[in-house]
Amino acid sequence: MKLALQQLRFTRSPRFSLGPLDLHFASGEHVLVLGNSGSGKSTLLKLLAGLLRPDQGSLRWDEEDPWALSAEQRRDRQAAFGMVFQSDALFDSDTVLQNVQLPLLKRGVPKGEAHARAEEALAQVGLTPAASQLPEQLSGGMKKRVGIARAIVARPQILLADDPLAGLDPHTARKVSEVLQAAAAGRTLIVAMPDPVPELRLARVVRLEKGLIP
């Protein structure tokens, strides 16, 4: 899926606005979005995924305007997106496997199939032995990998990652970067971070400053 923003604007508050932005992301492209806190990185990812509606301008998924669709149609198309959150956003009372299969169960995937696909996703990130553990039993790096597994379990075309290396030491950041880039093979990958890191090498860099591309 190709993504295109044309003269897109979004106002979160009187003190912050994003845009106007003109951006294109080719199918299968790997892009790093850089910007300080408050620059609009996370907001951009949410706009791309159709979680926020732009105030002006347009967003296109291929040639389709997601906001011209019904809410049900838009939710169906959003299955093309997987999101890795900065905060792990794991349910503490659920096992690793239960956390990973949750997006599939919410979409009505039969429990047996959801279980098998969650096991497959955990194998991809090297966490099969941790399937029955609770989040509190995991290290920070393991929690990040669970987040990646959950993001890819629905087999999305596009992987969005919001500061996925936050709070990790260099060794763990390198391991999580390797897992993230391996999981993104054959997919579009858009990573938002405050600073570039040597562990994460992406083909193109987009910089945001106060909601604009300088």
Side-chain angles (χ1 to χ4, degrees), residues 92-118:
D92 293 336
S93 59
D94 288 347
T95 66
V96 165
L97 183 68
Q98 289 169 333
N99 269 284
V100 173
Q101 70 182 6
L102 186 60
L104 298 179
L105 296 176
K106 284 185 172 180
R107 291 182 180 139
V109 175
K111 190 170 183 178
E113 181 183 345
H115 184 97
R117 287 171 61 176

mmCIF file with all atom_site columns, all heavy atoms in Angstrom, residues 92-118:
data_model
loop_
_atom_site.group_PDB
_atom_site.id
_atom_site.type_symbol
_atom_site.label_atom_id
_atom_site.label_alt_id
_atom_site.label_comp_id
_atom_site.label_asym_id
_atom_site.label_entity_id
_atom_site.label_seq_id
_atom_site.pdbx_PDB_ins_code
_atom_site.Cartn_x
_atom_site.Cartn_y
_atom_site.Cartn_z
_atom_site.occupancy
_atom_site.B_iso_or_equiv
_atom_site.pdbx_formal_charge
_atom_site.auth_seq_id
_atom_site.auth_comp_id
_atom_site.auth_asym_id
_atom_site.auth_atom_id
_atom_site.pdbx_PDB_model_num
ATOM 1   N N   . ASP A 1 92  ? -1.209  -6.574  31.834 1.00 0.00 ? 92  ASP A N   1
ATOM 2   C CA  . ASP A 1 92  ? -0.408  -7.238  32.860 1.00 0.00 ? 92  ASP A CA  1
ATOM 3   C C   . ASP A 1 92  ? -0.971  -8.587  33.289 1.00 0.00 ? 92  ASP A C   1
ATOM 4   O O   . ASP A 1 92  ? -0.219  -9.479  33.690 1.00 0.00 ? 92  ASP A O   1
ATOM 5   C CB  . ASP A 1 92  ? -0.277  -6.339  34.096 1.00 0.00 ? 92  ASP A CB  1
ATOM 6   C CG  . ASP A 1 92  ? 0.532   -5.088  33.810 1.00 0.00 ? 92  ASP A CG  1
ATOM 7   O OD1 . ASP A 1 92  ? 1.342   -5.110  32.860 1.00 0.00 ? 92  ASP A OD1 1
ATOM 8   O OD2 . ASP A 1 92  ? 0.361   -4.088  34.530 1.00 0.00 ? 92  ASP A OD2 1
ATOM 9   N N   . SER A 1 93  ? -2.293  -8.740  33.227 1.00 0.00 ? 93  SER A N   1
ATOM 10  C CA  . SER A 1 93  ? -2.903  -9.977  33.711 1.00 0.00 ? 93  SER A CA  1
ATOM 11  C C   . SER A 1 93  ? -2.964  -11.065 32.633 1.00 0.00 ? 93  SER A C   1
ATOM 12  O O   . SER A 1 93  ? -3.383  -12.191 32.915 1.00 0.00 ? 93  SER A O   1
ATOM 13  C CB  . SER A 1 93  ? -4.316  -9.701  34.229 1.00 0.00 ? 93  SER A CB  1
ATOM 14  O OG  . SER A 1 93  ? -5.124  -9.150  33.200 1.00 0.00 ? 93  SER A OG  1
ATOM 15  N N   . ASP A 1 94  ? -2.561  -10.733 31.404 1.00 0.00 ? 94  ASP A N   1
ATOM 16  C CA  . ASP A 1 94  ? -2.565  -11.699 30.301 1.00 0.00 ? 94  ASP A CA  1
ATOM 17  C C   . ASP A 1 94  ? -1.160  -12.218 30.039 1.00 0.00 ? 94  ASP A C   1
ATOM 18  O O   . ASP A 1 94  ? -0.173  -11.487 30.217 1.00 0.00 ? 94  ASP A O   1
ATOM 19  C CB  . ASP A 1 94  ? -3.103  -11.065 29.018 1.00 0.00 ? 94  ASP A CB  1
ATOM 20  C CG  . ASP A 1 94  ? -4.602  -10.829 29.076 1.00 0.00 ? 94  ASP A CG  1
ATOM 21  O OD1 . ASP A 1 94  ? -5.252  -11.377 29.988 1.00 0.00 ? 94  ASP A OD1 1
ATOM 22  O OD2 . ASP A 1 94  ? -5.109  -10.096 28.218 1.00 0.00 ? 94  ASP A OD2 1
ATOM 23  N N   . THR A 1 95  ? -1.071  -13.456 29.609 1.00 0.00 ? 95  THR A N   1
ATOM 24  C CA  . THR A 1 95  ? 0.233   -13.999 29.233 1.00 0.00 ? 95  THR A CA  1
ATOM 25  C C   . THR A 1 95  ? 0.720   -13.333 27.950 1.00 0.00 ? 95  THR A C   1
ATOM 26  O O   . THR A 1 95  ? -0.028  -12.641 27.256 1.00 0.00 ? 95  THR A O   1
ATOM 27  C CB  . THR A 1 95  ? 0.147   -15.514 28.994 1.00 0.00 ? 95  THR A CB  1
ATOM 28  O OG1 . THR A 1 95  ? -0.680  -15.756 27.838 1.00 0.00 ? 95  THR A OG1 1
ATOM 29  C CG2 . THR A 1 95  ? -0.402  -16.230 30.201 1.00 0.00 ? 95  THR A CG2 1
ATOM 30  N N   . VAL A 1 96  ? 1.981   -13.570 27.629 1.00 0.00 ? 96  VAL A N   1
ATOM 31  C CA  . VAL A 1 96  ? 2.556   -13.056 26.389 1.00 0.00 ? 96  VAL A CA  1
ATOM 32  C C   . VAL A 1 96  ? 1.737   -13.523 25.193 1.00 0.00 ? 96  VAL A C   1
ATOM 33  O O   . VAL A 1 96  ? 1.381   -12.732 24.313 1.00 0.00 ? 96  VAL A O   1
ATOM 34  C CB  . VAL A 1 96  ? 4.023   -13.515 26.272 1.00 0.00 ? 96  VAL A CB  1
ATOM 35  C CG1 . VAL A 1 96  ? 4.546   -13.314 24.849 1.00 0.00 ? 96  VAL A CG1 1
ATOM 36  C CG2 . VAL A 1 96  ? 4.901   -12.758 27.269 1.00 0.00 ? 96  VAL A CG2 1
ATOM 37  N N   . LEU A 1 97  ? 1.410   -14.789 25.145 1.00 0.00 ? 97  LEU A N   1
ATOM 38  C CA  . LEU A 1 97  ? 0.631   -15.324 24.028 1.00 0.00 ? 97  LEU A CA  1
ATOM 39  C C   . LEU A 1 97  ? -0.743  -14.663 23.946 1.00 0.00 ? 97  LEU A C   1
ATOM 40  O O   . LEU A 1 97  ? -1.195  -14.294 22.847 1.00 0.00 ? 97  LEU A O   1
ATOM 41  C CB  . LEU A 1 97  ? 0.476   -16.835 24.166 1.00 0.00 ? 97  LEU A CB  1
ATOM 42  C CG  . LEU A 1 97  ? -0.273  -17.535 23.014 1.00 0.00 ? 97  LEU A CG  1
ATOM 43  C CD1 . LEU A 1 97  ? 0.550   -17.478 21.736 1.00 0.00 ? 97  LEU A CD1 1
ATOM 44  C CD2 . LEU A 1 97  ? -0.592  -18.974 23.377 1.00 0.00 ? 97  LEU A CD2 1
ATOM 45  N N   . GLN A 1 98  ? -1.386  -14.481 25.076 1.00 0.00 ? 98  GLN A N   1
ATOM 46  C CA  . GLN A 1 98  ? -2.700  -13.838 25.074 1.00 0.00 ? 98  GLN A CA  1
ATOM 47  C C   . GLN A 1 98  ? -2.616  -12.395 24.597 1.00 0.00 ? 98  GLN A C   1
ATOM 48  O O   . GLN A 1 98  ? -3.504  -11.909 23.875 1.00 0.00 ? 98  GLN A O   1
ATOM 49  C CB  . GLN A 1 98  ? -3.307  -13.904 26.479 1.00 0.00 ? 98  GLN A CB  1
ATOM 50  C CG  . GLN A 1 98  ? -3.739  -15.303 26.892 1.00 0.00 ? 98  GLN A CG  1
ATOM 51  C CD  . GLN A 1 98  ? -4.094  -15.404 28.362 1.00 0.00 ? 98  GLN A CD  1
ATOM 52  O OE1 . GLN A 1 98  ? -3.587  -14.641 29.197 1.00 0.00 ? 98  GLN A OE1 1
ATOM 53  N NE2 . GLN A 1 98  ? -4.952  -16.352 28.706 1.00 0.00 ? 98  GLN A NE2 1
ATOM 54  N N   . ASN A 1 99  ? -1.574  -11.678 24.995 1.00 0.00 ? 99  ASN A N   1
ATOM 55  C CA  . ASN A 1 99  ? -1.385  -10.305 24.528 1.00 0.00 ? 99  ASN A CA  1
ATOM 56  C C   . ASN A 1 99  ? -1.220  -10.255 23.014 1.00 0.00 ? 99  ASN A C   1
ATOM 57  O O   . ASN A 1 99  ? -1.767  -9.371  22.344 1.00 0.00 ? 99  ASN A O   1
ATOM 58  C CB  . ASN A 1 99  ? -0.158  -9.691  25.204 1.00 0.00 ? 99  ASN A CB  1
ATOM 59  C CG  . ASN A 1 99  ? -0.488  -8.956  26.496 1.00 0.00 ? 99  ASN A CG  1
ATOM 60  O OD1 . ASN A 1 99  ? -1.009  -7.852  26.470 1.00 0.00 ? 99  ASN A OD1 1
ATOM 61  N ND2 . ASN A 1 99  ? -0.206  -9.596  27.622 1.00 0.00 ? 99  ASN A ND2 1
ATOM 62  N N   . VAL A 1 100 ? -0.481  -11.197 22.468 1.00 0.00 ? 100 VAL A N   1
ATOM 63  C CA  . VAL A 1 100 ? -0.186  -11.171 21.033 1.00 0.00 ? 100 VAL A CA  1
ATOM 64  C C   . VAL A 1 100 ? -1.408  -11.554 20.199 1.00 0.00 ? 100 VAL A C   1
ATOM 65  O O   . VAL A 1 100 ? -1.651  -10.994 19.137 1.00 0.00 ? 100 VAL A O   1
ATOM 66  C CB  . VAL A 1 100 ? 1.013   -12.092 20.713 1.00 0.00 ? 100 VAL A CB  1
ATOM 67  C CG1 . VAL A 1 100 ? 1.224   -12.214 19.209 1.00 0.00 ? 100 VAL A CG1 1
ATOM 68  C CG2 . VAL A 1 100 ? 2.276   -11.541 21.375 1.00 0.00 ? 100 VAL A CG2 1
ATOM 69  N N   . GLN A 1 101 ? -2.204  -12.501 20.688 1.00 0.00 ? 101 GLN A N   1
ATOM 70  C CA  . GLN A 1 101 ? -3.344  -12.942 19.887 1.00 0.00 ? 101 GLN A CA  1
ATOM 71  C C   . GLN A 1 101 ? -4.552  -12.014 19.996 1.00 0.00 ? 101 GLN A C   1
ATOM 72  O O   . GLN A 1 101 ? -5.500  -12.101 19.213 1.00 0.00 ? 101 GLN A O   1
ATOM 73  C CB  . GLN A 1 101 ? -3.760  -14.357 20.265 1.00 0.00 ? 101 GLN A CB  1
ATOM 74  C CG  . GLN A 1 101 ? -4.392  -14.511 21.627 1.00 0.00 ? 101 GLN A CG  1
ATOM 75  C CD  . GLN A 1 101 ? -4.735  -15.956 21.958 1.00 0.00 ? 101 GLN A CD  1
ATOM 76  O OE1 . GLN A 1 101 ? -4.408  -16.873 21.220 1.00 0.00 ? 101 GLN A OE1 1
ATOM 77  N NE2 . GLN A 1 101 ? -5.401  -16.159 23.078 1.00 0.00 ? 101 GLN A NE2 1
ATOM 78  N N   . LEU A 1 102 ? -4.522  -11.075 20.953 1.00 0.00 ? 102 LEU A N   1
ATOM 79  C CA  . LEU A 1 102 ? -5.670  -10.207 21.203 1.00 0.00 ? 102 LEU A CA  1
ATOM 80  C C   . LEU A 1 102 ? -6.147  -9.441  19.963 1.00 0.00 ? 102 LEU A C   1
ATOM 81  O O   . LEU A 1 102 ? -7.361  -9.383  19.706 1.00 0.00 ? 102 LEU A O   1
ATOM 82  C CB  . LEU A 1 102 ? -5.358  -9.245  22.349 1.00 0.00 ? 102 LEU A CB  1
ATOM 83  C CG  . LEU A 1 102 ? -6.517  -8.375  22.827 1.00 0.00 ? 102 LEU A CG  1
ATOM 84  C CD1 . LEU A 1 102 ? -7.678  -9.230  23.323 1.00 0.00 ? 102 LEU A CD1 1
ATOM 85  C CD2 . LEU A 1 102 ? -6.053  -7.430  23.933 1.00 0.00 ? 102 LEU A CD2 1
ATOM 86  N N   . PRO A 1 103 ? -5.251  -8.830  19.155 1.00 0.00 ? 103 PRO A N   1
ATOM 87  C CA  . PRO A 1 103 ? -5.755  -8.112  17.975 1.00 0.00 ? 103 PRO A CA  1
ATOM 88  C C   . PRO A 1 103 ? -6.543  -9.000  17.014 1.00 0.00 ? 103 PRO A C   1
ATOM 89  O O   . PRO A 1 103 ? -7.493  -8.535  16.381 1.00 0.00 ? 103 PRO A O   1
ATOM 90  C CB  . PRO A 1 103 ? -4.466  -7.597  17.310 1.00 0.00 ? 103 PRO A CB  1
ATOM 91  C CG  . PRO A 1 103 ? -3.456  -7.553  18.396 1.00 0.00 ? 103 PRO A CG  1
ATOM 92  C CD  . PRO A 1 103 ? -3.793  -8.706  19.291 1.00 0.00 ? 103 PRO A CD  1
ATOM 93  N N   . LEU A 1 104 ? -6.159  -10.268 16.916 1.00 0.00 ? 104 LEU A N   1
ATOM 94  C CA  . LEU A 1 104 ? -6.871  -11.186 16.033 1.00 0.00 ? 104 LEU A CA  1
ATOM 95  C C   . LEU A 1 104 ? -8.246  -11.536 16.600 1.00 0.00 ? 104 LEU A C   1
ATOM 96  O O   . LEU A 1 104 ? -9.242  -11.578 15.867 1.00 0.00 ? 104 LEU A O   1
ATOM 97  C CB  . LEU A 1 104 ? -6.055  -12.460 15.824 1.00 0.00 ? 104 LEU A CB  1
ATOM 98  C CG  . LEU A 1 104 ? -4.694  -12.288 15.151 1.00 0.00 ? 104 LEU A CG  1
ATOM 99  C CD1 . LEU A 1 104 ? -3.995  -13.635 15.046 1.00 0.00 ? 104 LEU A CD1 1
ATOM 100 C CD2 . LEU A 1 104 ? -4.842  -11.657 13.776 1.00 0.00 ? 104 LEU A CD2 1
ATOM 101 N N   . LEU A 1 105 ? -8.311  -11.781 17.897 1.00 0.00 ? 105 LEU A N   1
ATOM 102 C CA  . LEU A 1 105 ? -9.590  -12.109 18.517 1.00 0.00 ? 105 LEU A CA  1
ATOM 103 C C   . LEU A 1 105 ? -10.570 -10.945 18.394 1.00 0.00 ? 105 LEU A C   1
ATOM 104 O O   . LEU A 1 105 ? -11.770 -11.152 18.172 1.00 0.00 ? 105 LEU A O   1
ATOM 105 C CB  . LEU A 1 105 ? -9.384  -12.478 19.994 1.00 0.00 ? 105 LEU A CB  1
ATOM 106 C CG  . LEU A 1 105 ? -8.549  -13.740 20.254 1.00 0.00 ? 105 LEU A CG  1
ATOM 107 C CD1 . LEU A 1 105 ? -8.340  -13.935 21.754 1.00 0.00 ? 105 LEU A CD1 1
ATOM 108 C CD2 . LEU A 1 105 ? -9.215  -14.967 19.648 1.00 0.00 ? 105 LEU A CD2 1
ATOM 109 N N   . LYS A 1 106 ? -10.051 -9.712  18.520 1.00 0.00 ? 106 LYS A N   1
ATOM 110 C CA  . LYS A 1 106 ? -10.906 -8.537  18.377 1.00 0.00 ? 106 LYS A CA  1
ATOM 111 C C   . LYS A 1 106 ? -11.476 -8.425  16.962 1.00 0.00 ? 106 LYS A C   1
ATOM 112 O O   . LYS A 1 106 ? -12.542 -7.838  16.757 1.00 0.00 ? 106 LYS A O   1
ATOM 113 C CB  . LYS A 1 106 ? -10.129 -7.262  18.719 1.00 0.00 ? 106 LYS A CB  1
ATOM 114 C CG  . LYS A 1 106 ? -9.913  -7.054  20.208 1.00 0.00 ? 106 LYS A CG  1
ATOM 115 C CD  . LYS A 1 106 ? -9.248  -5.725  20.477 1.00 0.00 ? 106 LYS A CD  1
ATOM 116 C CE  . LYS A 1 106 ? -9.204  -5.417  21.963 1.00 0.00 ? 106 LYS A CE  1
ATOM 117 N NZ  . LYS A 1 106 ? -8.557  -4.106  22.256 1.00 0.00 ? 106 LYS A NZ  1
ATOM 118 N N   . ARG A 1 107 ? -10.764 -8.981  15.982 1.00 0.00 ? 107 ARG A N   1
ATOM 119 C CA  . ARG A 1 107 ? -11.233 -8.944  14.593 1.00 0.00 ? 107 ARG A CA  1
ATOM 120 C C   . ARG A 1 107 ? -12.069 -10.168 14.227 1.00 0.00 ? 107 ARG A C   1
ATOM 121 O O   . ARG A 1 107 ? -12.410 -10.360 13.080 1.00 0.00 ? 107 ARG A O   1
ATOM 122 C CB  . ARG A 1 107 ? -10.045 -8.828  13.646 1.00 0.00 ? 107 ARG A CB  1
ATOM 123 C CG  . ARG A 1 107 ? -9.349  -7.484  13.728 1.00 0.00 ? 107 ARG A CG  1
ATOM 124 C CD  . ARG A 1 107 ? -8.199  -7.393  12.746 1.00 0.00 ? 107 ARG A CD  1
ATOM 125 N NE  . ARG A 1 107 ? -7.570  -6.090  12.856 1.00 0.00 ? 107 ARG A NE  1
ATOM 126 C CZ  . ARG A 1 107 ? -6.263  -5.877  12.821 1.00 0.00 ? 107 ARG A CZ  1
ATOM 127 N NH1 . ARG A 1 107 ? -5.434  -6.900  12.696 1.00 0.00 ? 107 ARG A NH1 1
ATOM 128 N NH2 . ARG A 1 107 ? -5.770  -4.662  12.910 1.00 0.00 ? 107 ARG A NH2 1
ATOM 129 N N   . GLY A 1 108 ? -12.354 -10.997 15.212 1.00 0.00 ? 108 GLY A N   1
ATOM 130 C CA  . GLY A 1 108 ? -13.214 -12.133 14.964 1.00 0.00 ? 108 GLY A CA  1
ATOM 131 C C   . GLY A 1 108 ? -12.525 -13.359 14.412 1.00 0.00 ? 108 GLY A C   1
ATOM 132 O O   . GLY A 1 108 ? -13.181 -14.295 13.944 1.00 0.00 ? 108 GLY A O   1
ATOM 133 N N   . VAL A 1 109 ? -11.191 -13.401 14.469 1.00 0.00 ? 109 VAL A N   1
ATOM 134 C CA  . VAL A 1 109 ? -10.459 -14.587 14.014 1.00 0.00 ? 109 VAL A CA  1
ATOM 135 C C   . VAL A 1 109 ? -10.736 -15.724 15.007 1.00 0.00 ? 109 VAL A C   1
ATOM 136 O O   . VAL A 1 109 ? -10.675 -15.516 16.221 1.00 0.00 ? 109 VAL A O   1
ATOM 137 C CB  . VAL A 1 109 ? -8.944  -14.297 13.936 1.00 0.00 ? 109 VAL A CB  1
ATOM 138 C CG1 . VAL A 1 109 ? -8.162  -15.566 13.592 1.00 0.00 ? 109 VAL A CG1 1
ATOM 139 C CG2 . VAL A 1 109 ? -8.671  -13.207 12.904 1.00 0.00 ? 109 VAL A CG2 1
ATOM 140 N N   . PRO A 1 110 ? -11.063 -16.916 14.526 1.00 0.00 ? 110 PRO A N   1
ATOM 141 C CA  . PRO A 1 110 ? -11.321 -18.048 15.438 1.00 0.00 ? 110 PRO A CA  1
ATOM 142 C C   . PRO A 1 110 ? -10.162 -18.266 16.400 1.00 0.00 ? 110 PRO A C   1
ATOM 143 O O   . PRO A 1 110 ? -8.993  -18.072 16.043 1.00 0.00 ? 110 PRO A O   1
ATOM 144 C CB  . PRO A 1 110 ? -11.492 -19.224 14.486 1.00 0.00 ? 110 PRO A CB  1
ATOM 145 C CG  . PRO A 1 110 ? -11.951 -18.618 13.204 1.00 0.00 ? 110 PRO A CG  1
ATOM 146 C CD  . PRO A 1 110 ? -11.252 -17.296 13.119 1.00 0.00 ? 110 PRO A CD  1
ATOM 147 N N   . LYS A 1 111 ? -10.485 -18.683 17.624 1.00 0.00 ? 111 LYS A N   1
ATOM 148 C CA  . LYS A 1 111 ? -9.485  -18.777 18.681 1.00 0.00 ? 111 LYS A CA  1
ATOM 149 C C   . LYS A 1 111 ? -8.321  -19.689 18.313 1.00 0.00 ? 111 LYS A C   1
ATOM 150 O O   . LYS A 1 111 ? -7.160  -19.382 18.583 1.00 0.00 ? 111 LYS A O   1
ATOM 151 C CB  . LYS A 1 111 ? -10.143 -19.250 19.974 1.00 0.00 ? 111 LYS A CB  1
ATOM 152 C CG  . LYS A 1 111 ? -9.227  -19.138 21.187 1.00 0.00 ? 111 LYS A CG  1
ATOM 153 C CD  . LYS A 1 111 ? -9.977  -19.388 22.481 1.00 0.00 ? 111 LYS A CD  1
ATOM 154 C CE  . LYS A 1 111 ? -9.050  -19.203 23.680 1.00 0.00 ? 111 LYS A CE  1
ATOM 155 N NZ  . LYS A 1 111 ? -9.767  -19.404 24.967 1.00 0.00 ? 111 LYS A NZ  1
ATOM 156 N N   . GLY A 1 112 ? -8.616  -20.834 17.676 1.00 0.00 ? 112 GLY A N   1
ATOM 157 C CA  . GLY A 1 112 ? -7.544  -21.756 17.304 1.00 0.00 ? 112 GLY A CA  1
ATOM 158 C C   . GLY A 1 112 ? -6.574  -21.138 16.313 1.00 0.00 ? 112 GLY A C   1
ATOM 159 O O   . GLY A 1 112 ? -5.349  -21.282 16.443 1.00 0.00 ? 112 GLY A O   1
ATOM 160 N N   . GLU A 1 113 ? -7.118  -20.437 15.312 1.00 0.00 ? 113 GLU A N   1
ATOM 161 C CA  . GLU A 1 113 ? -6.261  -19.779 14.323 1.00 0.00 ? 113 GLU A CA  1
ATOM 162 C C   . GLU A 1 113 ? -5.469  -18.642 14.964 1.00 0.00 ? 113 GLU A C   1
ATOM 163 O O   . GLU A 1 113 ? -4.278  -18.463 14.684 1.00 0.00 ? 113 GLU A O   1
ATOM 164 C CB  . GLU A 1 113 ? -7.106  -19.243 13.170 1.00 0.00 ? 113 GLU A CB  1
ATOM 165 C CG  . GLU A 1 113 ? -6.279  -18.560 12.085 1.00 0.00 ? 113 GLU A CG  1
ATOM 166 C CD  . GLU A 1 113 ? -7.114  -17.959 10.968 1.00 0.00 ? 113 GLU A CD  1
ATOM 167 O OE1 . GLU A 1 113 ? -8.311  -18.298 10.877 1.00 0.00 ? 113 GLU A OE1 1
ATOM 168 O OE2 . GLU A 1 113 ? -6.565  -17.147 10.196 1.00 0.00 ? 113 GLU A OE2 1
ATOM 169 N N   . ALA A 1 114 ? -6.130  -17.866 15.831 1.00 0.00 ? 114 ALA A N   1
ATOM 170 C CA  . ALA A 1 114 ? -5.442  -16.760 16.512 1.00 0.00 ? 114 ALA A CA  1
ATOM 171 C C   . ALA A 1 114 ? -4.286  -17.294 17.354 1.00 0.00 ? 114 ALA A C   1
ATOM 172 O O   . ALA A 1 114 ? -3.196  -16.702 17.383 1.00 0.00 ? 114 ALA A O   1
ATOM 173 C CB  . ALA A 1 114 ? -6.424  -15.987 17.388 1.00 0.00 ? 114 ALA A CB  1
ATOM 174 N N   . HIS A 1 115 ? -4.509  -18.402 18.040 1.00 0.00 ? 115 HIS A N   1
ATOM 175 C CA  . HIS A 1 115 ? -3.467  -19.022 18.858 1.00 0.00 ? 115 HIS A CA  1
ATOM 176 C C   . HIS A 1 115 ? -2.268  -19.433 17.998 1.00 0.00 ? 115 HIS A C   1
ATOM 177 O O   . HIS A 1 115 ? -1.112  -19.136 18.331 1.00 0.00 ? 115 HIS A O   1
ATOM 178 C CB  . HIS A 1 115 ? -4.052  -20.242 19.575 1.00 0.00 ? 115 HIS A CB  1
ATOM 179 C CG  . HIS A 1 115 ? -3.112  -20.902 20.526 1.00 0.00 ? 115 HIS A CG  1
ATOM 180 N ND1 . HIS A 1 115 ? -3.118  -20.656 21.877 1.00 0.00 ? 115 HIS A ND1 1
ATOM 181 C CD2 . HIS A 1 115 ? -2.107  -21.812 20.315 1.00 0.00 ? 115 HIS A CD2 1
ATOM 182 C CE1 . HIS A 1 115 ? -2.169  -21.376 22.463 1.00 0.00 ? 115 HIS A CE1 1
ATOM 183 N NE2 . HIS A 1 115 ? -1.548  -22.094 21.544 1.00 0.00 ? 115 HIS A NE2 1
ATOM 184 N N   . ALA A 1 116 ? -2.543  -20.079 16.873 1.00 0.00 ? 116 ALA A N   1
ATOM 185 C CA  . ALA A 1 116 ? -1.465  -20.542 15.999 1.00 0.00 ? 116 ALA A CA  1
ATOM 186 C C   . ALA A 1 116 ? -0.688  -19.375 15.403 1.00 0.00 ? 116 ALA A C   1
ATOM 187 O O   . ALA A 1 116 ? 0.553   -19.412 15.316 1.00 0.00 ? 116 ALA A O   1
ATOM 188 C CB  . ALA A 1 116 ? -2.045  -21.414 14.884 1.00 0.00 ? 116 ALA A CB  1
ATOM 189 N N   . ARG A 1 117 ? -1.399  -18.323 15.003 1.00 0.00 ? 117 ARG A N   1
ATOM 190 C CA  . ARG A 1 117 ? -0.721  -17.170 14.407 1.00 0.00 ? 117 ARG A CA  1
ATOM 191 C C   . ARG A 1 117 ? 0.076   -16.392 15.452 1.00 0.00 ? 117 ARG A C   1
ATOM 192 O O   . ARG A 1 117 ? 1.139   -15.826 15.145 1.00 0.00 ? 117 ARG A O   1
ATOM 193 C CB  . ARG A 1 117 ? -1.733  -16.284 13.686 1.00 0.00 ? 117 ARG A CB  1
ATOM 194 C CG  . ARG A 1 117 ? -2.212  -16.926 12.377 1.00 0.00 ? 117 ARG A CG  1
ATOM 195 C CD  . ARG A 1 117 ? -3.353  -16.197 11.742 1.00 0.00 ? 117 ARG A CD  1
ATOM 196 N NE  . ARG A 1 117 ? -3.026  -14.828 11.379 1.00 0.00 ? 117 ARG A NE  1
ATOM 197 C CZ  . ARG A 1 117 ? -3.871  -14.012 10.729 1.00 0.00 ? 117 ARG A CZ  1
ATOM 198 N NH1 . ARG A 1 117 ? -5.077  -14.458 10.379 1.00 0.00 ? 117 ARG A NH1 1
ATOM 199 N NH2 . ARG A 1 117 ? -3.521  -12.783 10.414 1.00 0.00 ? 117 ARG A NH2 1
ATOM 200 N N   . ALA A 1 118 ? -0.418  -16.365 16.686 1.00 0.00 ? 118 ALA A N   1
ATOM 201 C CA  . ALA A 1 118 ? 0.337   -15.713 17.763 1.00 0.00 ? 118 ALA A CA  1
ATOM 202 C C   . ALA A 1 118 ? 1.619   -16.485 18.042 1.00 0.00 ? 118 ALA A C   1
ATOM 203 O O   . ALA A 1 118 ? 2.691   -15.883 18.251 1.00 0.00 ? 118 ALA A O   1
ATOM 204 C CB  . ALA A 1 118 ? -0.517  -15.605 19.022 1.00 0.00 ? 118 ALA A CB  1
#
